[in-house]
Amino acid sequence: MPDLIPVLDKKAIARKVTELARKISLDYKDAELVMIGVLKGAFVFMADLIREIDVPSLQIDFVCVESYGCDSQTSGCPRVKKDISTDIRGKDILIVEDIYDSGLTLDYLRNHLESYRPRTIKICALIDKPERRQVDVKVDYVGHKVEKGFLVGYGLDYAEDYRQLPGIYHLVL
Ligand code: IMP
Ligand code: MG
């Protein structure tokens, strides 16, 4: 069995979610905000985050971008598996991602969503993990920085397992 070493517990994640939600609420108080969660990993973070955001206008959608197979190595080639269905033209978009890792997914996704001509696009990532960075992307809201290692829990998977864990762990195979 692989080892799970605790990195962030439920409380530490919740405190950060509250902090991020406060910043986002202030920044988008006059906006037509559409938050776009990146499936599957960001679904838990997205669900917690939106319930603490207080803005007059908020819609949500999801996009599924695949760049990982059933292992921990990036394929280096993201593609849209499921696109958004919301008309985001002229709207203020906040991409909600679990991990900013190599940067390939966020770089690709920003370009993809820009083609729909939103008014603004910003990015929120729960975790910034610089170890495998290949492309620098401007991430406007960052939760926690974790230098390295493979993380699971709180929506994050290894070969589709561990997403249900309330905390975040290093997976040691
Ligand atoms: P990037 O394109 O390399 O930045 O990878 C981003 C995607 O890879 C994220 O959306 C995650 O779903 C996945 N990913 C990257 N690092 C990890 C990790 O440590 N655990 C689980 N998934 C990860
Ligand atoms: Mg992901």
Side-chain angles (χ1 to χ4, degrees):
M1 279 297 279
D3 273 345
L4 293 178
I5 299 160
V7 177
L8 295 165
D9 67 10
K10 226 168 137 172
K11 278 191 183 160
I13 298 170
R15 273 197 300 273
K16 194 55 86 176
V17 168
T18 303
E19 193 184 307
L20 291 170
R22 283 202 187 121
K23 283 189 198 147
I24 293 165
S25 301
L26 281 175
D27 293 352
Y28 287 91
K29 62 182 186 329
D30 301 315
E32 277 190 89
L33 175 59
V34 183
M35 289 173 56
I36 300 180
V38 187
L39 294 172
K40 297 174 191 172
F43 84 106
V44 179
F45 177 41
M46 176 87 162
D48 283 347
L49 193 59
I50 60 161
R51 283 176 291 172
E52 297 209 39
I53 287 181
D54 182 16
V55 291
S57 171
L58 170 61
Q59 297 184 352
I60 65 151
D61 206 336
F62 290 94
V63 66
C64 184
V65 180
E66 277 209 333
S67 55
Y68 275 74
C70 281
D71 60 21
S72 60
Q73 296 300 305
T74 181
S75 71
C77 175
R79 64 183 182 99
V80 172
K81 220 186 157 197
K82 182 212 101 60
D83 208 349
I84 52 167
S85 54
T86 309
D87 179 7
I88 61 168
R89 196 182 186 95
K91 305 269 176 72
D92 298 292
I93 303 311
L94 182 61
I95 299 172
V96 178
E97 173 64 306
D98 51 7
I99 300 196
Y100 166 33
D101 184 27
S102 72
L104 293 167
T105 302
L106 284 170
D107 184 53
Y108 169 80
L109 194 55
R110 178 191 276 274
N111 287 327
H112 171 68
L113 294 175
E114 251 157 21
S115 71
Y116 295 126
R117 302 269 171 260
R119 198 175 79 87
T120 60
I121 298 192
K122 284 198 199 177
I123 298 174
C124 173
L126 177 65
I127 290 165
D128 172 8
K129 201 178 65 171
E131 185 186 21
R132 298 194 295 194
R133 189 71 25 89
Q134 290 181 46
V135 189
D136 284 321
V137 179
K138 183 170 183 263
V139 179
D140 305 272
Y141 306 94
V142 178
H144 296 272
K145 191 162 183 176
V146 178
E147 289 301 329
K148 56 185 177 185
F150 196 80
L151 303 172
V152 295
Y154 198 71
L156 297 165
D157 75 306
Y158 172 68
E160 296 301 326
D161 287 325
Y162 306 106
R163 293 192 197 275
Q164 79 283 9
L165 299 176
I168 293 177
Y169 299 81
H170 267 137
L171 181 85
V172 185
L173 292 170

